[in-house]
Amino acid sequence: LEPALWEVSFSLEPGKSIAVVGASGAGKSTLVSLLLGFRQPTAGTISLGEIAADACCEESWRSYFAVVPQQPYFFHLSLADNLRVACPAAPEEVLRQVLEQTQMLSWLEAEPKGWERSVGEGGGGLSGGQRQRLAIARALLKEAPYWLLDEATAGLDAVTAREIVSLLRRVTVDKGVMWITHHLQGLEAVDEILVLQHGRVVERGCMEELLVKQKLFYRMWTAEREACI
């Protein structure tokens, strides 16, 4: 069998951002599973500094990562309880701080039930943008040095997606950030883009460099722009 990923190599430090792009089936989801310890590599190594993934317990390893997925899960509990999933001991003052950072504090203050407001099963009582903002607030509570943004703007309208991208840039300036996406909007400020195809990195560089080459990334970028016209 062909490996899901082959010869994928990169480094990510706090303050640096990487985007991994590619069509469905390119290997993006496999990469996320490997980074979070849900799968183990059959060859090669994954490490954080001197800490190797296979020498660290799963819970400890995952504590280094905050994840903002495409469909963040929320329990049919209060807003406060859903936020405290990331930090059970967080006092209300800290919860207010992360809501202010994600521009959700005014929404909270307008809610009659305040912190006891239910978000609904799976966040069904929230809009797509609100779910992502609360997912970002929950990630902030975790205080992890690395963020994985797994299709974090997929399914949002263009205006909301731009707002979420801008918010993520603001709150992760000192973090190591990996964007996993098949959308290319908002990647101009990313330090390095890895273009995956059939599990291999076929191109890498910043957006300007990749557009000049006029290869796979350029074709993806052109197709996305034409689809938005």
Side-chain angles (χ1 to χ4, degrees):
L1 294 176
E2 284 288 323
L5 293 173
W6 184 259
E7 296 181 345
V8 175
S9 177
F10 61 87
S11 62
L12 180 62
E13 299 85 33
K16 181 178 179 180
S17 58
I18 289 178
V20 179
V21 305
S24 297
K28 303 187 301 296
S29 295
T30 300
L31 180 58
V32 172
S33 293
L34 287 167
L35 290 174
L36 293 178
F38 295 119
R39 300 176 66 171
Q40 299 302 319
T42 55
T45 58
I46 301 173
S47 61
L48 290 170
E50 300 298 319
I51 306 171
D54 58 6
C56 191
C57 73
E58 291 183 4
E59 183 177 354
S60 178
W61 177 263
R62 289 179 194 136
S63 70
Y64 289 100
F65 297 94
V67 182
V68 180
Q70 176 181 349
Q71 295 180 322
Y73 189 79
F74 293 96
F75 298 94
H76 191 37
L77 299 171
S78 69
L79 171 63
D81 287 338
N82 271 285
L83 288 174
R84 287 192 174 109
V85 167
C87 183
E92 185 175 308
E93 178 185 354
V94 173
L95 299 186
R96 290 182 65 86
Q97 288 173 358
V98 295
L99 287 192
E100 184 173 17
Q101 285 180 270
T102 54
Q103 299 172 324
M104 287 290 283
L105 187 56
S106 59
W107 170 81
L108 169 70
E109 292 173 341
E111 283 292 322
K113 293 186 177 181
W115 292 110
E116 295 307 310
R117 198 266 202 203
S118 172
V119 301
E121 186 70 31
L126 306 169
S127 69
Q130 288 172 334
R131 283 195 296 271
Q132 292 309 97
R133 289 179 186 277
L134 289 181
I136 295 167
R138 196 157 59 184
L140 285 166
L141 285 169
K142 194 171 182 182
E143 298 186 334
Y146 298 95
W147 283 46
L148 294 180
L149 310 177
D150 188 7
E151 303 285 6
T153 61
L156 301 178
D157 64 80
V159 172
T160 303
R162 284 194 294 270
E163 292 174 351
I164 295 300
V165 167
S166 178
L167 170 60
L168 284 165
R169 284 177 178 167
R170 290 197 303 273
V171 301
T172 61
V173 289
D174 60 342
K175 308 294 184 181
V177 182
M178 175 170 283
W179 299 75
I180 307 288
T181 181
H182 64 276
H183 291 299
L184 310 182
Q185 176 181 294
L187 299 185
E188 295 84 359
V190 171
D191 295 305
E192 184 177 26
I193 300 171
L194 307 183
V195 184
L196 279 183
Q197 185 178 45
H198 305 310
R200 294 175 180 268
V201 176
V202 295
E203 290 185 83
R204 66 193 306 162
C206 68
M207 178 174 280
E208 183 178 0
E209 293 168 340
L210 295 177
L211 291 177
V212 167
K213 291 179 181 179
Q214 295 196 8
K215 294 184 178 180
L216 177 59
F217 182 85
Y218 176 80
R219 295 196 297 272
M220 294 167 57
W221 180 81
T222 301
E224 184 173 298
R225 288 194 66 189
E226 291 177 348
C228 293
I229 295 175

